[in-house]
Amino acid sequence: MTLSLYVDTARWRAHQQAVLADFPGLVPVAKGNGYGLGVTRLAEEAARLGTGVLAVGTAREAAAVDFPGDVLVLTPCRAGEDVPGLPARTVRTVAHADVLRALPAGTRVVVECMTSMRRHGIARTDLPKLPADGPVVEGFALHLPLDRPDGSDPVEEVADWVRAVSAAGPPPATVYLSHLAAPDVTRLGALFPDTVFRSRIGTRLWLGDVQALHAAASVLDVTTVAKGDRYGYRQHKAPSDGHLLVVTGGTAHGVGLEAPKYLHGMLPRAKGLARAGLATVNRTLSPYVWDGRQLWFAEPPHMQVSILFLPGDVKPPVIGDELALNIRHTTTHFDRVVDR
């Protein structure tokens, strides 16, 4: 019995082609858990798209991935970093001028620029300090914020950097972008016709069509309980007559683990407070769904399974049935990915 991710392969690939049409020259991103599908699978899909470049998160991912084209490492390299097994097709990201100067001659690099994200990157004042020889600078990269509450124009932010790079040296042949809409990329192309703008895209490419992907968990056991019966590690009492469902998916899969969220507006904040209040009395909604109803965790998820409470007025599943679950793909490790 497994935690499965079912892929409507034809629909999923049609979505990829639609994104590629909106972003000509896009660079697929395959990092971490491979957005729930695995880096190996995404590398195969990227090769099918024919983009020629695949972006990964770390140098160790670059050393492990099998891809016929260039592999761009998004995490900036550090001085003295030693990662064995990197193929010659690897392109490193550099975010500091001193690191660039320390790299061996011939190292292929993309220079990350400090945007309003303020995460990492060189400053404009560093541009004249970049060495004219040594590493091969194949482009510049701009990682942009998702939201702009100040109303600033992302195109103008990119344009300012392109002008700054051009003022300090040759105009950039290639600029890699993250989190820019397709019309904005088109605007940039019109402003700078001699520069190629390539969007690095992961979530939108692989997870943009939610109907193409279906997560499901197997039912391992069904136990009838009466109101007040004690169960589980902590011997909680059943709140009413019903059933305990033991299903695949636990903390080892990422079930029950949640990344912090940035909330906008009063309604999301109110919902967050309500969830927090329920959690204080051991009431936590699970991502599992049966018969159109989102079920409650009977207790916190175990390592590889979860125990759910099903009220007595709902017909229970039988062993071997599957429950749908709404789960964050970037934090989930599925036992298998099935094409259909």
Side-chain angles (χ1 to χ4, degrees), residues 65-223:
V65 75
D66 182 15
F67 182 72
D70 291 336
V71 178
L72 172 63
V73 180
L74 298 178
T75 301
C77 61
R78 302 298 177 186
E81 179 183 359
D82 180 25
V83 182
L86 281 179
R89 66 181 185 278
T90 304
V91 181
R92 302 303 306 270
T93 296
V94 176
H96 297 277
D98 57 343
V99 174
L100 185 62
R101 288 191 292 268
L103 289 175
T107 304
R108 303 173 63 194
V109 301
V110 167
V111 177
E112 185 86 18
C113 302
M114 180 66 76
T115 69
S116 52
M117 274 280 290
R118 292 183 171 84
R119 188 170 69 171
H120 49 232
I122 65 167
R124 284 181 173 82
T125 53
D126 289 329
L127 289 172
K129 304 174 187 177
L130 300 183
D133 54 6
V136 180
V137 177
E138 299 193 355
F140 291 79
L142 297 168
H143 197 104
L144 302 168
L146 289 168
D147 296 329
R148 290 182 176 268
D150 62 353
S152 59
D153 184 0
V155 171
E156 189 55 38
E157 181 172 2
V158 175
D160 283 347
W161 267 106
V162 174
R163 296 186 190 106
V165 172
S166 300
T174 305
V175 173
Y176 295 90
L177 303 169
S178 296
H179 307 145
L180 205 66
D184 290 336
V185 179
T186 301
R187 286 172 58 196
L188 285 167
L191 288 172
F192 305 99
D194 295 329
T195 297
V196 175
F197 294 93
R198 303 196 67 173
S199 297
R200 303 174 298 192
I201 301 178
T203 303
R204 186 185 312 186
L205 180 63
W206 309 122
L207 304 179
D209 185 352
V210 295
Q211 299 301 320
L213 304 170
H214 173 70
S218 299
V219 177
L220 303 178
D221 260 308
V222 181
T223 301

Side-chain angles (χ1 to χ4, degrees), residues 30-50:
K31 59 183 180 179
N33 71 337
Y35 298 85
L37 294 117
V39 171
T40 298
R41 172 62 184 273
L42 296 189
E44 294 171 355
E45 296 296 328
R48 182 188 298 272
L49 289 172

Side-chain angles (χ1 to χ4, degrees), residues 211-301:
Q211 299 301 320
L213 304 170
H214 173 70
S218 299
V219 177
L220 303 178
D221 260 308
V222 181
T223 301
T224 302
V225 291
K227 181 178 180 180
D229 283 351
R230 293 190 179 274
Y231 63 86
Y233 284 130
R234 303 299 180 183
Q235 289 292 280
H236 296 301
K237 290 183 179 181
S240 64
D241 294 347
H243 297 87
L244 296 177
L245 309 182
V246 182
V247 298
T248 54
T251 56
H253 299 91
V255 172
L257 307 181
E258 188 174 0
K261 295 179 180 178
Y262 193 87
L263 302 177
H264 296 273
M266 292 304 299
L267 182 58
R269 289 186 172 93
K271 289 181 178 179
L273 287 172
R275 286 194 295 269
L278 287 168
T280 63
V281 292
N282 300 316
R283 292 274 286 170
T284 305
L285 272 173
S286 81
Y288 297 88
V289 177
W290 174 252
D291 196 27
R293 179 182 298 199
Q294 187 174 358
L295 304 183
W296 297 88
F297 281 120
E299 65 176 356

Side-chain angles (χ1 to χ4, degrees), residues 315-332:
K315 182 180 179 180
V318 299
I319 294 174
D321 280 347
E322 288 189 327
L323 274 65
L325 69 161
N326 300 312
I327 202 161
R328 187 172 179 176
H329 289 77
T330 53
T331 60
T332 305

